[in-house]
Amino acid sequence: MQRFVERCAALVPGVLFFVPFFVLGAVGGCAKSNLASSATTLNYLDHGRMAATQVTDPVNGVGTLAVTDDRADDMRGGTRKGEKDGSTAEIAINGDAAAWVAAGARHVFGGAGIGFDDGPIEMRIRLVEFSLEESVYVNSSYTSRVTLEVRLYNDGEEVWLGTRSGQAGNFGRPAKQENYEETFNHALSKALDMILQDAAFRAVFKAG
């Protein structure tokens, strides 16, 4: 019996030694994340990016450009994620998404040689997908994806239909408006570039 008591007594300090660390670990695991929400505004800036494909000798221009924002509700905001603790926070996406896409289309398609505000072609664009994610560690990595559906009409007849996506990445200081803008604007420009690469799309503007 005496030996049993001595053995138990010898174990007690070790047990007590680990208790504070267990408590601290539990408290640390329950600590609230410091990752804050952020916000950005959809504002098209070309950042020096021009269309990779040109429409040579275009005949037809775009007389009507109509853009609709058909994103699902869960695509109307972005997400920040803390790489250290897995916490998340919202990126509020402000601004007129349809006007943002229209500005991008005028810049990219116009830079490729397609005229706007005069011509027989009606261009209808739907914004069907938009995502913006920021992965935060010390600095942040950013990713964005944009998907567009484009329809072209000539004298009321549909002459082209296509859906294309663009994706872009970036790296820099956390929650910076410039980094957000560069990322989602490059994604939009890439989606528009993908549309330009379709020979049938370009042919609509060259048909006499």
Side-chain angles (χ1 to χ4, degrees), residues 148-171:
L148 305 173
E149 178 195 88
V150 178
R151 296 174 183 262
L152 300 179
Y153 296 84
N154 193 345
D155 291 331
E157 179 184 355
E158 185 178 291
V159 292
W160 191 84
L161 165 64
T163 301
R164 301 290 187 274
S165 298
Q167 186 165 323
N170 205 353
F171 184 81

Side-chain angles (χ1 to χ4, degrees), residues 15 20 40 45 61 75 78 97 104 106 114 121 127 140 146 166 188 200 208:
V15 173
T40 186
L45 301 172
M75 293 184 182
R106 285 177 175 273
I114 297 173
I121 305 301
L127 174 60
S140 290
V146 173
L188 173 59

Side-chain angles (χ1 to χ4, degrees), residues 62 64-66 109 121-125 150-152 201 205:
V62 178
T64 302
L65 172 62
F109 293 154
I121 305 301
E122 179 184 357
M123 180 181 291
R124 300 180 188 175
I125 304 177
V150 178
R151 296 174 183 262
L152 300 179
F201 173 87
F205 301 94

Side-chain angles (χ1 to χ4, degrees), residues 40-47 93-104 130 177-178 180-186 188-189:
T40 186
T41 300
L42 293 172
N43 178 34
Y44 186 79
L45 301 172
D46 65 280
H47 294 284
I93 309 294
N94 302 313
D96 186 333
W100 170 66
V101 172
F130 176 92
Q177 173 70 13
E178 181 179 3
Y180 289 138
E181 284 184 346
E182 288 181 352
T183 308
F184 58 64
N185 283 331
H186 285 173
L188 173 59
S189 294

Side-chain angles (χ1 to χ4, degrees), residues 7-174:
R7 289 176 180 175
C8 291
L11 289 173
V12 170
V15 173
L16 294 177
F17 176 81
F18 284 106
V19 168
F21 291 95
F22 173 79
V23 173
L24 288 174
V27 172
C30 296
K32 186 177 181 180
S33 170
N34 291 323
L35 190 65
S37 59
S38 62
T40 186
T41 300
L42 293 172
N43 178 34
Y44 186 79
L45 301 172
D46 65 280
H47 294 284
R49 181 182 179 85
M50 297 299 292
T53 305
Q54 296 292 308
V55 180
T56 57
D57 301 322
V59 174
N60 298 323
V62 178
T64 302
L65 172 62
V67 181
T68 56
D69 179 7
D70 288 337
R71 292 173 294 166
D73 290 341
D74 61 355
M75 293 184 182
R76 296 181 179 272
T79 303
R80 307 186 75 208
K81 180 178 179 180
E83 290 300 320
K84 293 181 179 180
D85 59 6
S87 59
T88 60
E90 180 187 11
I91 305 172
I93 309 294
N94 302 313
D96 186 333
W100 170 66
V101 172
R106 285 177 175 273
H107 175 80
V108 175
F109 293 154
I114 297 173
F116 280 84
D117 302 321
D118 184 23
I121 305 301
E122 179 184 357
M123 180 181 291
R124 300 180 188 175
I125 304 177
R126 292 176 58 233
L127 174 60
V128 297
E129 180 186 9
F130 176 92
S131 66
L132 178 63
E133 298 181 356
E134 179 186 2
S135 180
V136 185
Y137 192 68
V138 177
N139 286 319
S140 290
S141 58
Y142 300 82
T143 57
S144 180
R145 181 178 174 87
V146 173
T147 300
L148 305 173
E149 178 195 88
V150 178
R151 296 174 183 262
L152 300 179
Y153 296 84
N154 193 345
D155 291 331
E157 179 184 355
E158 185 178 291
V159 292
W160 191 84
L161 165 64
T163 301
R164 301 290 187 274
S165 298
Q167 186 165 323
N170 205 353
F171 184 81
R173 294 177 60 188

